[in-house]
Amino acid sequence: MESRQERAHGSPALRVENVKLNIIEVDGLTKKFGDLVAVDHVSFQVKRKEIFGFLGPNGAGKTTTIRMLCTLTRPTEGSAAVAGHDIVREADEVREHVGLVSEKMIMYDRLTAYENLKLFGKLYGIPSKLLEERIDELLGLVHMSKWRNHQIGTFSSGMRQRINLIRGLIHLPEVLFLDEPTLGLDPQSALEVREFIGRINDEQETSIILTTHMMLEADMLCDRVGIIDYGRIVALDTPTELKTQVSGSRATVLEFDIPNLSQEMILKIEALDCTEKLSQETPTQLKVHVKGQDAFDNIVGAVRSDGGRIAAVRNLDPTLEDVFLSLTGHEVRDAVTEKVTTTEHRHDMGSQRRRARVR
Amino acid sequence: MSSVRIRRELSHSLWIAWKDLLEFRRNRMGLVMLALMPVFMMVMTGFIFPSGNVLNRVPVALVNLDEGLEGLNIVSQLETINEESGLMELLSADSFDETKRMIFNGEAVGGIVVPEGFSSALSNGEQGTIIVFTDQSNPQISATLSTVLEEIIDGIGTMRAAAVVAGLAQQANTTLNPLAVVVPYAVESRGVVEGSTSYFDFVAPGIMAMVVMLSVMTGLPRAISYEKDIGTLDGFLVAPISRLSIILGKVLAQTTRGLVQGIMVMVLAYVLFGVTIHGSILLVFILLFIGVFSFVGLGILLTSVASDEQTAMMMMSTLMFPMMFLSGVFFPIQQMPPIMQGIASILPLTYATGALRKVMVLGAGLENVWTELVVLIGFGVVLLAIAVPVFRRAMTR
């Protein structure tokens, strides 16, 4: 990645060429708050019309990076260009081209949905007639037309986030920054929001940069994912590529439900040659990374020999969670806030992902 | 800056102000407080601070130890005067000791004693002495009470002397006004404007200036740090609008709110307390506006320095109290010790209050208040020159 970076900034001519290709160019961006290094010499590019995901636990530096790119925070070191404009020297130009939907909703409870959208539309200098049309169009897009003249304060969090999203899109920005867009939403709303993000990217050709601590969200939505931990990008690639890297091409993950799972069984499975890594998810659930053709038979044999009953077996692809774990040596557990269990989630994801890819 | 650009920035400010005022209008509790605050200020300050040496039915013990006619005479005159004025409630007592006891027990705040031999002293051509007891634990009331009683007794004495002089004059066959002999010098007090003024006339302009300016100074940091806290300020900061139009929009909204409150004070003062404005209302508004201008810089500065809403509020109240009490809103600056007068002279509110009072109470015109206007504009320019760069810097950390 570093070498690619150097090449990109090799000559001014090349850089101009890159503006057409890359909507965002980041070079050694650093932010320090006193002694704390929130973002540590981060470099990457985001291509036009791409959905780029920042994945990492809370406090990894995702939000600070986004805030610097939005001109809300001044970088301590390094530089970045958004839509061909320097984020420090040409902050005003950058602001024309970006939209921000941050974790804290940018809306006023005592104003109606329409009034909120109108305010921000006016701040972007959109002529009244066009603005009226666009507000109606956007409200329709998120199925909120009938709530047009209701105060935001009376909305559920899912409804609010939908308004908040189209608020960020009111000036049809080239680049849309989404900081944790599904945080604190119920699964249904989160799903709708994800769907909407995909659609905007597709129809408006908006480049989208989103941060999330939810591996599955990144996996489902993003064309490329940057994994960030302690202010550094530890990996950057397509989700598929990242998962291949971590597991080796033919490795498999098996998940067993064993109602009478015992410590002896775990030890026995761990001792098998085919077992690469093993983790216990719940008291009755076991996740095993395996290799080799006879791995399944061997594990089933080991469990049976101890009198274990196998209720279910699933063959899993490695997730971005596994990628994160293998790259950083720790899990992203501290940050799981979506109000669903992992299994339900995966179910949602599967169908959702198919849909998303079909579009 | 081109005029197109200025117009665009102004329109951004107006939209932000529109938003703030709309939010404010829909906040019912806020509206109630908006109306109540000036009412409280007026009522509290107007009724608590006495507007002169006025007593209202304070209990006073009265003892007559004299056995002659003169004693009865003066007691009945005291009672008549008191019935008309309602200053005291006279409680009869039997002795010195009982008077003291009544004061100790708090039944009376003072005592009047006509001592033994009062009549005989007078008939022997000597002065008759009346003793006034006061309660030293309550210096304000005692001072007022003794002043009032001295005045009353003096008045009774003067009437008596005038009667004597009139009798003598008749005997000497000359015509003269007996009062010219007894009280040769008379004092006539006149105000520079017609009619008498009450404490409300004094305090209303000050409260108006204070309410308007403080609501801008406190409202501004509160409004901005609140939006910073809940994250909505980012919506303005990430939009292609200048930092200045954000703050200008906020200032416009707060100023409107402050002026509405100022008008409310004016109306209340007129309706409830009979305060009239002698000068031009336009000048009053100009003064309020320039007063706000003088404060805006301070508000912006506090906004930039305060990291969150709580800090902003704390800084506000720390600054508010000295301002309220030192700038002559409630107490005349001339009565303060020299150091405090010095501090008062560096507070913009002092000048705004002074000028507003001149216009409202005395009917002064622009030519009488231009020094204050210049000082206020000076404050505004200097504070803004400091505040605007600090604010710009603070918004992009």
Side-chain angles (χ1 to χ4, degrees), chain B residues 306-359:
Chain B
S307 50
D308 54 35
E309 198 187 346
Q310 224 176 354
T311 320
M313 292 301 278
M314 234 153 64
M315 294 199 303
M316 286 335 309
S317 38
T318 315
L319 278 175
M320 234 168 81
F321 274 97
M323 283 226 241
M324 273 164 73
F325 292 106
L326 286 181
S327 47
V329 173
F330 301 117
F331 321 105
I333 296 169
Q334 290 76 8
Q335 287 182 352
M336 295 177 191
I339 299 173
M340 293 299 158
Q341 290 200 22
I343 297 175
S345 70
I346 55 163
L347 300 174
L349 188 55
T350 308
Y351 297 91
T353 306
L356 217 50
R357 203 166 272 153
K358 278 195 208 169
V359 174

Side-chain angles (χ1 to χ4, degrees), chain A residues 67 74 95 108 115, chain B residues 26 227 229 234 243 397:
Chain A
R67 287 182 71 83
R74 203 187 296 270
R95 286 185 202 122
Y108 299 95
E115 286 162 346
Chain B
R26 292 193 181 147
E227 287 212 26
D229 280 1
D234 287 347
R243 301 299 186 248
R397 286 252 162 82

Side-chain angles (χ1 to χ4, degrees), chain A residues 57-76:
Chain A
N58 294 343
K62 299 176 306 230
T63 302
T64 310
T65 307
I66 280 207
R67 287 182 71 83
M68 282 193 280
L69 294 178
C70 284
T71 74
L72 288 176
T73 300
R74 203 187 296 270
T76 317

Side-chain angles (χ1 to χ4, degrees), chain A residues 78-348:
Chain A
S79 68
V82 175
H85 298 284
D86 187 275
I87 56 163
V88 177
R89 278 178 285 112
E90 300 166 304
D92 286 339
E93 285 83 357
V94 171
R95 286 185 202 122
E96 306 258 356
H97 295 283
V98 302
L100 170 68
V101 175
S102 76
E103 180 194 351
K104 290 177 172 175
M105 293 191 192
I106 301 173
M107 277 182 311
Y108 299 95
D109 280 2
R110 287 205 170 87
L111 266 54
T112 65
Y114 167 76
E115 286 162 346
N116 269 294
L117 294 169
K118 185 172 173 179
L119 168 68
F120 286 99
K122 283 292 174 189
L123 294 184
Y124 282 92
I126 304 169
S128 295
K129 196 165 166 282
L130 180 63
L131 182 58
E132 297 290 324
E133 285 168 15
R134 195 171 294 166
I135 289 173
D136 289 337
E137 196 187 351
L138 286 170
L139 280 171
L141 220 53
V142 290
H143 315 294
M144 289 290 289
S145 298
K146 70 170 174 171
W147 301 102
R148 185 180 192 267
N149 295 322
H150 287 70
Q151 289 182 27
I152 297 286
T154 62
F155 290 0
S156 72
S157 53
M159 290 159 83
R160 284 155 169 266
Q161 185 61 309
R162 278 187 266 169
I163 300 293
N164 193 30
L165 264 174
I166 59 173
R167 200 254 328 130
L169 285 167
I170 194 81
H171 56 298
L172 304 182
E174 273 183 76
V175 189
L176 181 64
F177 291 97
L178 300 168
D179 192 5
E180 300 278 3
T182 59
L183 190 74
L185 296 186
D186 61 273
Q188 181 60 33
S189 300
L191 205 75
E192 282 173 32
V193 165
R194 281 176 203 137
E195 215 169 34
F196 182 70
I197 293 169
R199 208 158 83 215
I200 286 299
N201 172 248
D202 198 35
E203 289 167 13
Q204 309 284 347
E205 304 202 330
T206 311
S207 312
I208 293 173
I209 290 81
L210 72 89
T211 73
T212 181
H213 60 261
M214 279 173 260
M215 305 292 164
L216 297 153
E217 182 165 291
D219 197 354
M220 171 198 134
L221 271 176
C222 300
D223 298 315
R224 286 192 307 148
V225 172
I227 295 184
I228 187 165
D229 195 35
Y230 293 112
R232 288 170 178 278
I233 293 188
V234 290
L236 194 160
D237 221 319
T238 61
T240 322
E241 199 55 43
L242 283 172
K243 283 181 283 191
T244 314
Q245 271 173 27
V246 71
S247 56
S249 50
R250 282 179 309 279
T252 332
V253 181
L254 296 174
E255 195 177 62
F256 293 88
D257 280 0
I258 306 166
N260 57 350
L261 183 66
S262 70
Q263 198 57 40
E264 288 83 56
M265 286 177 212
I266 296 176
L267 289 171
K268 222 171 224 175
I269 297 168
E270 214 165 11
L272 292 170
D273 281 343
C274 61
T275 305
E276 282 206 318
K277 208 162 80 198
L278 177 147
S279 60
Q280 191 177 358
E281 306 273 279
T282 70
T284 63
Q285 232 171 45
L286 211 55
K287 198 160 137 188
V288 192
H289 293 241
V290 295
K291 59 167 192 259
Q293 294 293 323
D294 50 356
F296 181 77
D297 283 339
N298 287 347
I299 293 173
V300 170
V303 174
R304 287 249 171 88
S305 71
D306 260 13
R309 291 188 294 108
I310 298 170
V313 183
R314 279 174 297 274
N315 193 341
L316 301 175
D317 286 333
T319 62
L320 282 178
E321 180 110 30
D322 302 317
V323 177
F324 189 85
L325 182 65
S326 81
L327 284 171
T328 65
H330 61 93
E331 295 187 45
V332 205
R333 277 293 148 86
D334 61 306
V336 177
T337 36
E338 215 173 19
K339 305 165 192 162
V340 280
T341 64
T342 325
T343 24
E344 275 168 357
H345 219 113
R346 184 159 297 123
H347 182 72
D348 272 357

Side-chain angles (χ1 to χ4, degrees), chain B residues 65-115:
Chain B
L65 300 172
D66 182 51
E67 277 145 11
L69 264 177
E70 296 288 356
L72 287 175
N73 191 20
I74 197 150
V75 166
S76 80
Q77 289 204 45
L78 267 175
E79 279 171 344
T80 316
I81 290 173
N82 190 46
E83 253 168 57
E84 283 166 16
S85 63
L87 295 175
M88 299 171 286
E89 192 181 334
L90 294 172
L91 311 165
S92 60
D94 298 330
S95 62
F96 272 105
D97 289 338
E98 199 188 350
T99 313
K100 276 193 191 171
R101 185 190 60 76
M102 285 169 82
I103 294 175
F104 284 150
N105 292 351
E107 289 165 37
V109 297
I112 307 166
V113 179
V114 183

